[in-house]
Amino acid sequence: MVDQQYDLIGDIHGHADELEGLLCAMDYQRVDNCFRHETRKAIYLGDFIDRGPQQREVLGIVMPMVETGSALAVMGNHEFNAIAYHSYDDENGDYRRRHTPTNQRQHQAFLDAYEDTPDECREVIDWFKTLPLWLDLGELRVVHACWDEGAMLRLKESLAEGNRLTDELIKHSTTYGRQEFRDVETLLKGKEVPLINGHKFVDNDGHEWPNIRIRWWDQNAKSYHSAFMGPPQAISHIPDDEIKGDHLIDYSHSLPPVFLGHYWMDGTPTPLADNIACVDYSVARTKGRLAAYRWDGERTLCAEKFVSVERVEP
């Protein structure tokens, strides 16, 4: 038996009712306005914000849990995007994530929630900066999208203690073309490869992309079609040609279990591999679910350890 048992909770995206329902389903109790468990600890996989209707309410649950030690958390790409959106670059005279119509639309739910409380908004952004890019707890590992040890080693020299961003790294990781940009993108958004012959696919928001996210751990995924990680309706548009280049990461079955969010999975929650599991089951999408995995020290993950609640439809 391990010293600490963990409940790994997937992307919440502003759905506080579902989060409270999931915590209660796992026997967490609200004590002094903070959810706690007598013997277990939660680990959040990031993406607390954007999309859903309860931005402040989600952070009102998550932040006290992390601050009191009843939960841990890693940064998601939406927290990183929020940091960049609210960080002004004096050198370039613009924000590090530009306020384009597309970027504003993706972030609008958060902007609306804090429209009348700019000081509180800044406190939240500052809190996002305290989130680690990944957690290595020895017997298990946690990252939002991709466990890439090469990227982690390159970033180590630039990170603050606890794998946290510094102001300088925020600058470099939001500068297109820099290695830091590519490495943070990989950890928080996953591995991508460009499609061939002008192929594109359409994501859940209706945007066309020339690159696809891939099953970076799957050594059997040799074609674009078999490696694709994305909306099921797009799979018919992905060519079955062999992928060229180094696109996979060798994550051995002997390594500790690693937990991911980010990927908007469908269907019944199940591990991606014996020691890899995604706990993002698309609560931000109609008929999606908020999912968690209850880890008790096992090296081989199993479907029976997932728990989830259905999205509350308006």
Side-chain angles (χ1 to χ4, degrees):
M1 179 65 69
V2 292
D3 293 335
Q4 179 65 65
Q5 299 161 297
Y6 292 103
D7 298 313
L8 297 110
I9 299 174
D11 306 27
I12 305 163
H13 284 303
H15 286 267
D17 290 341
E18 292 86 342
L19 175 56
E20 185 166 349
L22 182 61
L23 289 169
C24 290
M26 296 189 295
D27 298 320
Y28 284 74
Q29 304 291 324
R30 191 188 289 271
V31 180
D32 296 330
N33 204 35
C34 179
F35 279 95
R36 308 171 191 271
H37 196 284
E38 289 185 0
T39 60
R40 306 180 69 87
K41 184 177 290 189
I43 302 181
Y44 289 103
L45 272 290
D47 278 9
F48 310 114
I49 63 166
D50 297 336
R51 304 186 188 278
Q54 298 169 309
Q55 307 285 302
R56 298 171 69 100
E57 293 85 350
V58 165
L59 292 171
I61 294 172
V62 172
M63 290 172 65
M65 290 183 70
V66 173
E67 290 164 358
T68 60
S70 63
L72 302 172
V74 296
M75 182 180 294
N77 60 296
H78 281 261
E79 286 74 52
F80 181 78
N81 287 347
I83 291 168
Y85 191 95
H86 294 270
S87 297
Y88 193 76
D89 182 359
D90 291 323
E91 294 180 11
N92 294 328
D94 201 351
Y95 288 88
R96 298 205 177 279
R97 181 171 174 83
R98 293 182 176 179
H99 294 187
T100 64
T102 296
N103 289 345
Q104 180 175 334
R105 182 168 62 251
Q106 291 175 349
H107 196 43
Q108 194 63 56
F110 181 87
L111 295 173
D112 290 345
Y114 290 93
E115 181 179 13
D116 298 325
T117 54
D119 290 343
E120 189 174 351
C121 178
R122 174 48 56 190
E123 290 175 2
V124 169
I125 298 299
D126 287 343
W127 185 78
F128 289 164
K129 293 178 183 179
T130 71
L131 296 171
L133 293 181
W134 71 89
L135 289 170
D136 189 341
L137 301 177
E139 294 175 290
L140 85 163
R141 295 167 169 179
V142 183
V143 68
H144 187 63
C146 178
W147 190 272
D148 185 335
E149 292 196 356
M152 293 169 176
L153 286 172
R154 286 188 294 270
L155 289 169
K156 265 293 189 181
E157 293 183 359
S158 304
L159 289 165
E161 183 179 358
N163 303 325
R164 293 172 172 87
L165 295 171
T166 63
D167 289 340
E168 182 177 23
L169 185 52
I170 291 170
K171 175 182 177 180
H172 291 163
S173 59
T174 54
T175 302
Y176 185 79
R178 290 192 63 103
Q179 184 64 51
E180 297 94 333
F181 177 93
R182 293 190 289 271
D183 288 338
V184 171
E185 284 263 311
T186 295
L187 299 181
L188 300 187
K189 298 182 182 179
K191 292 275 283 187
E192 291 189 354
V193 296
L195 292 170
I196 58 173
N197 300 327
H199 282 278
K200 296 181 180 180
F201 86 97
V202 179
D203 68 12
N204 292 299
D205 296 319
H207 302 131
E208 284 191 340
W209 298 98
N211 298 342
I212 61 168
R213 291 175 185 154
I214 60 168
R215 298 169 59 86
W216 52 265
W217 63 90
D218 188 350
Q219 298 297 313
N220 296 316
K222 306 298 185 182
S223 71
Y224 294 94
H225 192 274
S226 62
F228 177 65
M229 282 285 289
Q233 65 270 22
I235 193 69
S236 62
H237 301 287
I238 306 301
D240 204 25
D241 302 77
E242 181 182 358
I243 295 179
K244 304 295 183 181
D246 181 18
H247 63 284
L248 297 175
I249 295 172
D250 185 11
Y251 197 85
S252 168
H253 292 299
S254 65
L255 292 173
V258 60
F259 291 89
L260 318 170
H262 188 61
Y263 289 109
W264 284 57
M265 303 297 290
D266 284 314
T268 301
T270 190
L272 300 171
D274 285 347
N275 59 341
I276 304 174
C278 178
V279 286
D280 177 18
Y281 276 79
S282 316
V283 70
R285 179 168 57 199
T286 300
K287 297 183 180 180
R289 308 184 70 84
L290 183 62
Y293 185 97
R294 311 207 77 183
W295 185 78
D296 297 302
E298 63 271 17
R299 301 281 293 190
T300 300
L301 307 178
C302 57
E304 291 75 17
K305 300 299 287 291
F306 282 91
V307 59
S308 64
V309 296
E310 294 182 358
R311 167 181 159 132
V312 178
E313 300 297 344

